[in-house]
Amino acid sequence: LDITAASESYDTDKILTQHSLLLTAAGEYEYDNRRYPVSELTPIKQQLAEDPSGIFVVSVAEAVTTQQMIDFIDQLKAIGIDKVSLAGLAI
């Protein structure tokens, strides 16, 4: 599982935008001010198609387990996202 911590960086010349995702302990994620079940990645796939050079920044809500976070990142990788960064705990 290759991920980048928020303190590390990608080549910013190649990254146009950052897309924020908030993972919740209830098995949902928040993206673009809407909540989706983690099994529904269509909005993320659409964004990836529109902006393949963007980076997806994952924050986790309180009570999200490490396994939930890893599973979600695995799902992102499986749909073709190769730029994922962890932002940490969202309060």
Side-chain angles (χ1 to χ4, degrees):
L1 177 64
D2 291 330
I3 55 175
T4 299
S7 62
E8 297 176 13
S9 65
Y10 288 103
D11 184 353
T12 54
D13 293 337
K14 296 180 182 176
I15 297 173
L16 300 178
T17 52
Q18 290 187 10
H19 308 287
S20 297
L21 304 170
L22 172 64
L23 181 62
T24 72
E28 299 176 324
Y29 68 94
E30 187 173 308
Y31 174 65
D32 201 21
N33 295 318
R34 295 186 64 191
R35 286 213 173 180
Y36 303 92
V38 294
S39 59
E40 176 54 56
L41 298 178
T42 302
I44 297 173
K45 289 179 189 177
Q46 290 172 339
Q47 185 60 56
L48 179 63
E50 293 173 19
D51 182 17
S53 64
I55 185 170
F56 288 80
V57 180
V58 177
S59 298
V60 294
E62 194 170 338
V64 170
T65 67
T66 302
Q67 190 61 54
Q68 285 176 305
M69 180 190 65
I70 290 170
D71 290 345
F72 185 61
I73 293 171
D74 278 344
Q75 287 179 272
L76 297 177
K77 297 284 188 170
I79 64 169
I81 296 174
D82 61 352
K83 297 178 196 79
V84 176
S85 179
L86 291 178
L89 180 64
I91 300 175

